[in-house]
Amino acid sequence: MSPEAPRPLAGLRVLDLTVALAGPYGTLLLAGLGAEVIKIEAPQGSDMARFNPPFYGRDGIHVGKMQEGDISLTILARSRAKRSISLDLKAERGRDLFLRLAETADIIVENMSDGTMERLGIDYARVAAVNPRIVYCSITGMGRPSPMPGVKAMDITIQALSGVMDTTGQPDGPPLRFGLPIADLLAPLYGIIGIQAALRQREATGVGQHVEISMLDALASLLPFEHVDVFQSHGFPPRTGSHHTRLTPFGVFPTADGHVSIAAATDAWAERVFEAMGRRELIEDPRFATRGPRAVNADAVNAMIEAWTRTLTTAQVIDALATQRGVPTAAVRTAAEVIADPHLRATGAIQPLVHPDAGEIAAVGGGIPIRMSGSTVGLDRPAPKLGADNAGIYGDLLGLDDAEIASLKAAGVI
């Protein structure tokens, strides 16, 4: 696809009032798909992610105390392809400017704490009064009003409350946090789906709407897909470590030099695993011949496979199962190996980060993992400095002259 091909969301303007991860990741995706995303922060910087180590500055990349001129790698990653303006929404002039911007916008995304948007006077009802076509997306921890108003909705909190943590870890061990901030990353994906659906409905009705996404709802909605309630009622533990009991043999096994994943979820694949092990007699054993009995006897199956894989290198296991017998098997790669993968670099799923002054730096960010035949996507502009687009937005878009902009800056509104 030619780099001149259109971006699918080109022509849409997004006002980004998000902080931390859940909201900024959603607006990052919108920017990568071609929308004009204007990130709005207080003049001193109000996104808590600005203070997340590691930082990049005159001392290179470091994880120490933030110094003058440092920019968090978090911001360099999550603000790519966005524009940046500063605006004090607590000031009356700031609120008035925001509502003027809202009149020109198609989408607003916010993930502020309960009651914040109402206190500022820029909640959905107020914005819709000046722009009925607005699609206003709110990403919250547990909904509004929150069923647990005293609980701060951090990713680990949502993992704990959603039941997902109860399914992660060894059967005889404690619940474990999922390795990535999965609640923070999942909620904005649902947010993008909701925004796209609302835009589609707006084409028919001419009217926007309020899209509300709860991190708790999003993560908890996935729990029933594994039927944990039914399996627990039949004596299966909620946590099965690196194995999937219902699909045994299905899990991660140690080798002489690493680990492999084996997904022999069908009877035919399980037979081929037993054959590769030199244990064809297991195919006729009623405890292991079909999926149901294998699930009941998963510990015995996994122990036999582990005893075999430990005697072989990762490459030998892959050859015996994947190459020779077509059983889904793969090496468990390290995160460093994946980040360095030339294929993922070529597709743009992994891409170098760029500092607005220093250029490309020795760190990476995630790209937009979407390919389209008639348009392009991508995060091809570095994150701007805070307020870098004040003149363009306030001057060119809202028509303020230099004196008005200077007055706003002197008053601390921008």
Side-chain angles (χ1 to χ4, degrees):
M1 180 59 59
S2 166
E4 287 75 36
R7 297 287 171 99
L9 298 187
L12 294 176
R13 177 171 293 135
V14 181
L15 302 186
D16 179 356
L17 291 172
T18 66
V19 298
L21 176 53
Y25 182 54
T27 53
L28 180 74
L29 295 175
L30 291 171
L33 291 168
E36 178 193 17
V37 176
I38 302 172
K39 184 173 176 64
I40 302 172
E41 294 184 69
Q44 69 276 15
S46 49
D47 188 340
M48 63 187 74
R50 288 196 174 274
F51 310 101
N52 287 351
F55 305 103
Y56 183 84
R58 62 176 181 268
D59 296 328
I61 297 175
H62 66 92
V63 295
K65 183 179 179 181
M66 188 176 185
Q67 302 172 17
E68 183 70 27
D70 279 355
I71 299 180
S72 170
L73 295 191
T74 302
I75 290 295
L76 291 179
R78 298 176 194 171
S79 291
R80 287 170 292 168
K82 300 179 183 180
R83 305 178 74 183
S84 173
I85 62 171
S86 55
L87 183 63
D88 183 1
L89 293 169
K90 295 178 181 179
E92 183 176 355
R93 293 172 73 186
R95 184 189 66 239
D96 291 343
L97 283 172
F98 177 82
L99 291 175
R100 288 179 61 184
L101 286 172
E103 291 184 59
T104 76
D106 298 281
I107 302 161
I108 292 174
V109 185
E110 60 90 9
N111 65 332
M112 301 296 183
S113 57
D114 290 2
T116 298
M117 307 307 283
E118 287 79 7
R119 287 194 300 273
L120 293 173
I122 54 173
D123 54 293
Y124 171 67
R126 182 70 182 87
V127 173
V130 300
N131 181 359
R133 290 176 55 80
I134 199 74
V135 172
Y136 190 113
C137 180
S138 297
I139 300 175
T140 69
M142 290 173 276
R144 291 177 182 157
S146 170
M148 302 178 190
V151 178
K152 296 292 185 182
M154 307 301 288
D155 179 87
I156 191 171
T157 309
I158 301 302
Q159 287 195 37
L161 292 171
S162 70
V164 167
M165 199 179 286
D166 186 46
T167 70
T168 309
Q170 298 298 328
D172 56 352
L176 293 178
R177 182 185 73 88
F178 190 88
L180 294 174
I182 189 65
D184 272 326
L185 294 170
L186 179 65
L189 296 180
Y190 280 112
I192 299 301
I193 294 171
I195 288 170
Q196 300 284 18
L199 289 171
R200 174 65 184 88
Q201 186 171 330
R202 189 180 74 174
E203 292 178 8
T205 65
V207 179
Q209 59 186 293
H210 194 187
V211 177
E212 298 183 81
I213 305 294
S214 155
M215 291 166 62
L216 179 59
D217 286 353
L219 200 52
S221 72
L222 302 185
L223 199 65
F225 282 89
E226 285 304 325
H227 309 295
V228 291
D229 52 343
V230 174
F231 274 89
Q232 283 188 261
S233 70
H234 283 73
F236 289 85
R239 294 186 289 281
T240 57
S242 295
H243 297 280
H244 194 322
T245 301
R246 178 166 57 88
L247 303 178
T248 301
F250 193 110
V252 176
F253 298 87
T255 66
D257 60 354
H259 291 82
V260 293
S261 68
I262 299 173
T266 68
D267 291 343
W269 282 335
E271 289 179 11
R272 294 173 198 173
V273 173
F274 297 150
E275 179 186 80
M277 294 165 57
R279 300 291 303 274
R280 290 191 59 83
E281 75 277 7
L282 299 177
I283 299 172
E284 305 300 329
D285 190 319
R287 294 174 298 169
F288 312 123
T290 57
R291 284 176 57 175
R294 281 199 303 275
V296 174
N297 295 284
D299 289 345
V301 175
N302 293 333
M304 288 186 286
I305 296 175
E306 181 174 329
W308 173 66
T309 59
R310 281 187 181 277
T311 68
L312 304 173
T313 66
T314 297
Q316 288 172 324
V317 175
I318 292 172
D319 179 64
L321 295 182
T323 305
Q324 296 185 36
R325 294 175 175 85
V327 177
T329 309
V332 177
R333 297 198 289 180
T334 67
E337 288 172 329
V338 174
I339 287 172
D341 187 325
H343 168 74
L344 295 176
R345 295 279 186 131
T347 65
I350 303 291
Q351 56 185 228
L353 288 183
V354 178
H355 187 280
D357 294 329
E360 189 173 308
I361 62 176
V364 297
I368 304 295
I370 301 171
R371 297 291 168 268
M372 305 178 72
S373 64
S375 54
T376 60
V377 301
L379 300 166
D380 43 16
R381 287 185 287 112
K385 292 182 177 180
L386 177 61
D389 296 290
N390 280 357
I393 299 298
Y394 295 126
D396 299 339
L397 180 59
L398 295 189
L400 274 61
D401 60 31
D402 291 345
E404 290 175 298
I405 294 174
S407 171
L408 290 167
K409 186 174 181 179
V413 177
I414 65 172

